[in-house]
Amino acid sequence: MKKLINDPRAVVDESVEGFGLAHADLVTVFADPKYIVRKDAPVAGKVGLVSGGGSGHEPLHGGYVGMGMLDAAVPGPVFTSPTPDQILPATLAVNSGAGVVHIVKNYTGDVLNFETAAELAQAEGVEIRTVLVNDDVAVEDSLYTAGRRGVAGTVLVEKIAGAAAERGDNLDAVAAIGDRVNHNVRSMGVALTACTVPHAGAPSFVLAENEIEIGIGIHGEPGRHRIPMENADGIADRLLEPVVSDLGLASGDKVLLFVNGMGGTPLSELYIVYRRAAQQLAAQGITVERSLVGNYITALEMQGCSLTVLRLDAELTALWDAPVHTPALRWGA
């Protein structure tokens, strides 16, 4: 195992410390318990947004803390949920009196620990709403979940709900926007290689040189099927078809197309996948109004990508376009 680390047990601590030093103008990092808040939190009168999950998916979630997106992020150990005693102080730190929305990926540990933290926060007088993200169409249940997994659609939920909170929407309205995005977004991923969790020291699964795994989650958990390697167009088609079908997209629909790298795939290859997906959508009369391409929710150094489509309307498009200024996503500010 070759990694730019010191002690495998200290990877998350040292990474988060470095993140805080690099982005000290935007965020404040708390070490014990570990959580990240935007520099100006709490923002008076604004609904707070908190998300989190296992580390190893950077820039999710810490990279999205800042104006127009999250107010706090809670990093757990690699691929392991943060605990309630991290989530609770992060929630309290961003509460301005308008309440807090928890954005939670549908993984069993995340769901249970955020539920516990929400109950504790409510006992302290903080109103909580939860948006559960379950955009993955690959499998209904997995090693980590009951129901569909929350994957790359989480980035879009955080951005659009964050914009709604920033414009002054109340607690229920922000949660409703988050739910609306989740209802209209679907994702599907592929792995070309496995990743190596630092404290494990070995790949999390084994793929032969000529094999790929279609429908993987962001931890490398199994997907729909393992097939021989094929070209980028063939892979893009395999990812796009179930997404379009599950969303029930039709000619005349407008969408955001998001091709996400899993951490080890060159940007040039992601654009090849994007090219094919955009062409296929156009051929079906579906207009790509907005786009995002890059490494936004990763699985350490895994080679592969995910393809996400969000059905847009005028309000969701305006909220996507709204100013955002975070370490990993910024425009218009």
Side-chain angles (χ1 to χ4, degrees), residues 19-332:
F19 174 84
L21 293 171
H23 303 292
D25 58 326
L26 297 176
V27 303
T28 301
V29 170
F30 294 84
D32 188 18
K34 192 179 287 77
Y35 61 95
I36 301 162
V37 299
R38 61 187 276 182
K39 201 73 175 179
D40 56 351
V43 180
K46 191 183 87 66
V47 171
L49 261 69
V50 179
S51 193
S55 296
H57 305 304
E58 292 75 20
L60 197 82
H61 295 271
Y64 303 128
V65 173
M67 191 280 291
M69 215 159 170
L70 296 178
D71 293 275
V74 190
V78 175
F79 295 173
T80 303
S81 173
T83 58
D85 67 355
Q86 295 174 261
I87 302 165
L88 176 62
T91 300
L92 299 178
V94 303
N95 176 47
S96 70
V100 175
V101 173
H102 286 168
I103 298 175
V104 184
K105 301 187 302 301
N106 189 33
Y107 291 91
T108 302
D110 290 357
V111 171
L112 293 175
N113 288 341
F114 270 92
E115 281 180 354
T116 300
E119 291 171 2
L120 295 170
Q122 287 167 334
E124 298 201 26
V126 181
E127 280 198 84
I128 304 292
R129 301 291 184 272
T130 299
V131 174
L132 187 67
V133 185
N134 58 353
D135 56 306
D136 181 30
V137 302
V139 292
E140 190 64 34
D141 295 291
S142 75
L143 177 65
Y144 294 84
T145 63
R148 291 182 168 185
R149 303 174 291 207
V151 287
T154 310
V155 178
L156 310 188
V157 173
E158 291 178 355
K159 169 61 183 80
I160 292 173
E166 204 73 49
R167 74 179 178 184
D169 288 16
N170 66 27
L171 182 63
D172 287 330
V174 172
I177 285 284
D179 286 335
R180 193 160 115 215
V181 175
N182 182 62
H183 181 72
N184 285 283
V185 68
R186 300 289 188 275
S187 300
M188 181 88 155
V190 60
L192 279 61
T193 65
C195 59
T196 298
V197 175
H199 62 261
S204 53
F205 59 96
V206 177
L207 281 173
E209 183 63 29
N210 67 334
E211 286 183 325
I212 59 175
E213 182 88 23
I214 298 289
I216 50 92
I218 53 174
H219 310 92
E221 63 269 42
R224 285 189 171 185
H225 42 258
R226 191 166 292 190
I227 63 171
M229 179 66 186
E230 55 188 13
N231 65 25
D233 285 358
I235 292 171
D237 290 350
R238 288 182 184 274
L239 301 183
L240 183 64
E241 188 282 326
V243 166
V244 169
S245 176
D246 203 272
L247 267 178
L249 291 175
S251 179
D253 282 338
K254 298 176 180 181
V255 301
L256 184 156
L257 175 58
F258 174 21
V259 174
N260 173 68
M262 303 303 288
T265 301
L267 195 56
S268 58
E269 296 177 21
L270 299 181
Y271 280 117
I272 293 172
V273 173
Y274 180 91
R275 162 190 166 274
R276 176 66 171 189
Q279 290 171 343
Q280 293 292 78
L281 290 170
Q284 298 175 56
I286 299 164
T287 302
V288 177
E289 290 270 294
R290 298 293 184 270
S291 61
L292 189 66
V293 181
N295 290 294
Y296 291 98
I297 171 171
T298 61
L300 295 171
E301 79 282 21
M302 180 186 288
Q303 292 181 29
C305 71
S306 60
L307 194 152
T308 298
V309 178
L310 168 64
R311 181 190 286 108
L312 290 172
D313 57 33
E315 184 180 28
L316 295 186
T317 303
L319 289 169
W320 176 258
D321 290 344
V324 60
H325 191 73
T326 71
L329 206 66
R330 55 180 72 180
W331 56 69

